[in-house]
Amino acid sequence: MKSLRVLVPVVLLSLCAMAVAQSDAQKSFDKIKTLEGSWEGHVTTTPPHPDIDGKAIQVSLRVTSMGNAVVHEMTGMGRPDHPVTMVYLDGDRLVLTHYCDAGNRPRMAGKTLADGKTVDFDFLDVSGSLQYGHMHHADFTEIDANHHSEDWTYMEPGDKPVRAHMELQRAK
């Protein structure tokens, strides 16, 4: 009986510690969730793409599916496209799937960088046609509660990168 009195508190403390400890993927996902809301800004591309560079953009991030996914939608840039990106946990990793207007679905794995403000997504794989290229990399950087930036790298055919940088502020 005496050993049971000692064992029960030890087990309860261990369970509490496990419940409190979050995986790096969960911490990164929680950081993305803080960006929920409507955002607006402008796009800068490198190399410059006249049909996109300097154009206004609207971004919406919405936590959905009982907190298990984040929907990221972009509109604007004077283009008829409306790419949708889903961010979610897949086991012990954070995954981004981008439903691209190029007709494919690249997946990327994410992690929070050492700065503690940036969630960085690296290319995993892609489904669908690569005829027009594919999205290859993404960064989400929290500046403050009302500002964040996004950096997206698109690989054109022939593996030519085009980088898009967006400085965004919460829409009023």
Side-chain angles (χ1 to χ4, degrees), residues 34-47:
T34 68
L35 300 176
E36 182 173 37
S38 297
W39 302 84
E40 55 192 16
H42 289 85
V43 181
T44 305
T45 57
T46 306

Side-chain angles (χ1 to χ4, degrees), residues 32-98:
I32 292 290
K33 286 180 180 181
T34 68
L35 300 176
E36 182 173 37
S38 297
W39 302 84
E40 55 192 16
H42 289 85
V43 181
T44 305
T45 57
T46 306
H49 272 244
D51 59 328
I52 300 172
D53 202 47
K55 304 285 180 165
I57 189 163
Q58 293 80 41
V59 173
S60 168
L61 285 109
R62 181 171 42 93
V63 177
T64 188
S65 188
M66 300 286 293
N68 291 302
V70 174
V71 179
H72 177 281
E73 297 178 88
M74 283 190 275
T75 57
M77 298 186 293
R79 298 169 55 109
D81 64 338
H82 181 128
V84 174
T85 301
M86 300 294 293
V87 180
Y88 52 93
L89 288 172
D90 184 10
D92 64 348
R93 72 178 175 180
L94 182 61
V95 176
L96 175 155
T97 301
H98 180 73

Side-chain angles (χ1 to χ4, degrees), residues 96 98 106-111 113 118-124 134-140 150-155 161-164:
L96 175 155
H98 180 73
R107 291 186 324 137
M108 302 174 214
K111 65 181 183 298
L113 297 182
T118 302
V119 180
D120 178 72
F121 289 91
D122 283 325
F123 183 78
L124 287 173
H134 68 280
M135 207 55 84
H136 194 78
H137 190 91
D139 283 334
F140 295 78
E150 296 184 17
D151 291 282
W152 292 82
T153 302
Y154 185 82
M155 297 300 277
V162 175
R163 291 177 179 82

